[in-house]
Amino acid sequence: MLHSKKNFMKGLLLLGSFAVIFIIILSPVFKDNNGKAQTGLEYADDLFNKLSKGSSYFLAEVQEGVDTIKASSVDVTVKPKKADLVPVILTLASQSGLTATDKGNGEIALQGMIAPVLEKIIADSDAFYKNNGAAVKARYNLDEKQVMKAWWEMCSSMIKPLQKQKLLREAEILGLVNKKAIEPAFNFYGIEAQSVLDKAGVLTALLVFYVIYTMWYGFAIFEIFDGIGLSMKKAKAKEEV
């Protein structure tokens, strides 16, 4: 027995229309810039990835940090966690002005000025950010993704040895290069960067739709429950004897 047929039917109508729109969202009815069919979720995910990339270009800041250690040199022995990258690190370090020696057992001795190496990493990160992996590959005749992984591994493995030598600023800049140069460039590789300002209308529409669509479902459930007589009411205060 329904408590309110009107409210129950209203709730079913809201829930049914919610389901129809949900099916449309999961259907490949949208198009990307290349004309490829996308679902609504894929479209939104792609858009937010592009906007995130557009807000993740920090290479000018990284270069400023590298400029503060122009005169610094390093003399460390490192052991990268990924042993398969040791040959790549040796090649990259040698081509970038460091003296790189394979000490065996996965260890590498690195000596020389560190700023020129970091400037090469910034240049590679810039090319990667602009989806120009071919330029990175041509520089070293190595797979471009392996190059970026090796740069990250080399910088990461040098941080603790430098900290032990009290070269704290140098260690800090290596961490900065990893986090704000290599990682954004690698993680967003292949994605077209877009500005939030250029997509302000679409972004606002998506956020407004999300809020309305969430409330839509909530009201549907509320009306259905109210229609069958289930509702939440404040409990009456108990009277003490």
Side-chain angles (χ1 to χ4, degrees), residues 19 22 48 115 121 151 155 167 182-183 216 236 239-240:
F22 186 67
F48 285 115
I121 295 176
W151 278 137
C155 290
L167 297 174
I182 300 173
E183 289 177 12
W216 193 328
K236 294 182 180 180
E239 296 182 5
E240 296 186 2

Side-chain angles (χ1 to χ4, degrees), residues 12-177:
L12 283 183
L13 179 62
L14 286 171
L15 189 61
S17 56
F18 177 92
V20 170
I21 294 177
F22 186 67
I23 292 171
I24 293 173
I25 291 173
L26 296 180
S27 302
V29 295
F30 297 86
K31 302 283 186 180
D32 64 9
N33 293 338
N34 299 318
K36 180 183 177 182
Q38 290 181 309
T39 67
L41 292 179
E42 288 172 335
Y43 174 82
D45 185 59
D46 183 54
L47 175 63
F48 285 115
N49 280 336
K50 289 176 178 178
L51 296 179
S52 295
K53 181 174 183 177
S55 304
S56 302
Y57 190 84
F58 308 114
L59 297 186
E61 176 188 339
V62 176
Q63 182 63 60
E64 289 177 4
V66 172
D67 289 342
T68 65
I69 58 170
K70 282 280 190 181
S72 299
S73 61
V74 297
D75 185 356
V76 294
T77 296
V78 300
K79 188 172 183 178
K81 292 181 179 180
K82 295 185 178 180
D84 60 310
L85 292 177
V86 168
V88 184
I89 293 173
L90 286 166
T91 300
L92 294 177
S94 299
Q95 291 188 26
S96 303
L98 289 178
T99 300
T101 306
D102 188 352
K103 300 188 71 174
N105 196 33
E107 291 187 333
I108 304 172
L110 299 171
Q111 298 173 310
M113 304 294 290
I114 190 62
V117 181
L118 299 182
E119 287 173 350
K120 277 205 168 187
I121 295 176
I122 291 174
D124 290 345
S125 297
D126 183 62
F128 234 68
Y129 185 91
K130 295 172 180 176
N131 299 324
N132 188 12
V136 178
K137 184 176 183 178
R139 261 178 219 143
Y140 311 103
N141 196 28
L142 293 167
D143 178 79
E144 63 271 24
K145 289 189 176 182
Q146 285 292 94
V147 169
M148 299 304 288
K149 289 178 181 178
W151 278 137
W152 190 95
E153 194 68 36
M154 187 189 80
C155 290
S156 180
S157 65
M158 292 174 67
I159 292 175
K160 285 188 177 179
L162 289 175
Q163 289 173 335
K164 289 180 181 179
Q165 295 177 14
K166 306 301 181 183
L167 297 174
L168 302 182
R169 180 58 179 169
E170 288 76 4
E172 179 186 353
I173 297 303
L174 285 172
L176 180 70
V177 168

